[in-house]
């Protein structure tokens, strides 16, 4: 596995691959790998000749009071994982390499970014779109892979690629969960043992709503109330940031559950802000 820190070197290599018909896949990450990241690398490995993984804790997607400085990092461990997963190139730029002095262009998809996580993180998706657009321009992949846990991010990036006519397929890979159902996340290490015990209730609350839908309940307000009730009982340390039932592509809030409905939630549990989602039908 090649480790590259220079964007010019990466772009030269990837331009060469694209021009000579080598099918490449990009997996953008912020590091501190767990099984969820491995599944993204595996997804890419199975579909491309060359796999490029970027490892960059992107400062532009963190708000002023968020955990940029504390975000967990383990470059040596991550390089071992990436190499074991058969990654061809690990791109690990410094912040100045990606955002040098004078950087002044931003990419936004405001319609999809305004709700859900965008309410408490108003500049987050602008940072995500901008860094991903740069990574796509540097690597020119045929596909780029993102986890479905960050459903809103995935929907936004799909729209960005479509609107900007990017020659790349943006693909989602299923959420990987711990045995008790908690979605894997680098931020789970912020949980205390007691919070960790309660955390699976986030997903179980969403499953409770899906069960109610299967029994015929269609009213979104009733479903949200049922989930909140479940959390009050099983996730008492949690404070709900948002809980919405939306159309999975447009992210528009629904009043009643029809053919396509996604329940998405963020709950603060101690220092961690956990997000999860579940299709209700
Ligand atoms: O999902 C993430 O880890 C990040 O938002 C991403 C896509 C790597 C952009 O920094």
């Amino acid at each position: 596995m090649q480790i590259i820190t220079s964007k010019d070197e990466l772009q030269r290599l990837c331009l060469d691959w694209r021009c000579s018909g080598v099918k490449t896949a990009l997996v953008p990450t912020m590091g501190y790998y767990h099984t969820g990241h491995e599944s993204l690398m595996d997804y890419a490995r199975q579909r491309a000749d060359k796999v490029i993984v970027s490892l960059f804790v992107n400062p532009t997607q963190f708000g002023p009071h968020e955990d940029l400085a504390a975000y967990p990092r383990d470059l040596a461990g991550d390089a071992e994982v990436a190499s074991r997963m058969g990654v061809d190139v690990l791109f690990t730029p410094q912040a100045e390499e990606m955002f040098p002095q004078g950087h002044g262009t931003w990419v936004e998809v405001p319609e999809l970014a305004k709700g859900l996580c965008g309410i408490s993180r108003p500049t987050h998706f602008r940072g995500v779109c901008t860094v991903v657009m740069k990574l796509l321009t540097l690597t020119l992949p045929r596909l780029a892979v993102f986890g479905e846990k960050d459903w809103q991010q995935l929907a936004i990036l799909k729209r960005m690629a479509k609107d900007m006519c990017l020659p790349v397929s943006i693909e989602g890979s299923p959420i990987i969960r711990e045995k008790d159902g908690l979605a894997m996340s680098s931020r789970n290490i912020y949980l205390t043992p007691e919070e960790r015990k309660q955390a699976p209730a986030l997903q179980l609350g969403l499953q409770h709503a899906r069960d109610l839908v299967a029994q015929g309940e269609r009213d979104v307000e009733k479903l949200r109330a049922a989930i909140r009730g479940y959390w009050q009982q099983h996730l008492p340390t949690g404070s709900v940031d948002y809980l919405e039932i939306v159309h999975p592509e447009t992210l528009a809030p629904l009043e009643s559950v029809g053919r396509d409905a996604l329940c998405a939630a963020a709950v603060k549990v101690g220092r961690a802000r956990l997000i999860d989602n579940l299709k209700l039908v």
Side-chain angles (χ1 to χ4, degrees), residues 128-144:
V128 170
C129 286
T130 304
V131 81
V132 171
M133 179 66 106
K134 286 183 95 140
L135 291 167
L136 291 172
T137 314
L138 290 173
T139 57
L140 305 168
R142 293 265 289 282
L143 65 133

Side-chain angles (χ1 to χ4, degrees), residues 27-31 37 54 56-58 61 71 124 127-128 131-132 135 146-147 150 153 157:
V27 183
T29 76
M30 299 210 299
H37 294 105
S54 63
F56 178 60
V57 182
N58 169 29
Q61 69 187 73
Y71 196 83
H124 172 67
V128 170
V131 81
V132 171
L135 291 167
F146 300 85
D150 297 290
Q153 167 173 283
L157 293 172

Side-chain angles (χ1 to χ4, degrees), residues 9 128 137 173 190-191 209 211 228 273:
E9 188 184 342
V128 170
T137 314
S173 175
Y190 297 153
L191 297 168
D211 293 344
R228 282 179 182 271
R273 180 176 172 279

Side-chain angles (χ1 to χ4, degrees), residues 121 156 167 171 198 268 272 275:
R121 308 186 77 191
I156 288 172
E171 303 192 8
Q198 291 182 25
K268 287 198 185 105
I275 62 170

Side-chain angles (χ1 to χ4, degrees), residues 215-231:
Q215 289 159 29
E217 183 58 76
R218 291 281 181 256
D219 187 296
V220 160
E221 276 322 309
K222 286 190 184 148
L223 291 167
R224 290 169 68 199
I227 299 170
R228 282 179 182 271
Y230 186 93
W231 287 342

Side-chain angles (χ1 to χ4, degrees), residues 61-166:
Q61 69 187 73
F62 288 78
H65 307 294
E66 293 181 10
D67 58 344
L68 173 62
Y71 196 83
R73 290 164 168 88
D74 177 13
L75 180 53
D78 286 347
E80 260 178 55
V81 173
S83 164
R84 173 166 53 75
M85 295 305 295
V87 168
D88 297 284
V89 172
L90 184 63
F91 177 52
T92 61
Q94 293 295 312
E96 313 76 61
E97 183 72 358
M98 291 302 283
F99 291 99
Q101 197 97 59
H103 171 95
T105 302
W106 298 96
V107 184
E108 288 188 77
V109 187
E111 187 200 328
L112 296 186
K114 65 181 187 231
L116 305 177
C117 287
I119 294 170
S120 62
R121 308 186 77 191
T123 56
H124 172 67
F125 291 114
R126 179 181 101 138
V128 170
C129 286
T130 304
V131 81
V132 171
M133 179 66 106
K134 286 183 95 140
L135 291 167
L136 291 172
T137 314
L138 290 173
T139 57
L140 305 168
R142 293 265 289 282
L143 65 133
V145 190
F146 300 85
E148 287 182 347
K149 181 167 79 69
D150 297 290
W151 186 277
Q152 186 177 16
Q153 167 173 283
L154 181 62
I156 288 172
L157 293 172
K158 279 184 177 166
R159 178 72 69 84
M160 175 185 89
K162 182 166 180 250
D163 288 352
M164 302 309 288
C165 311
L166 300 179

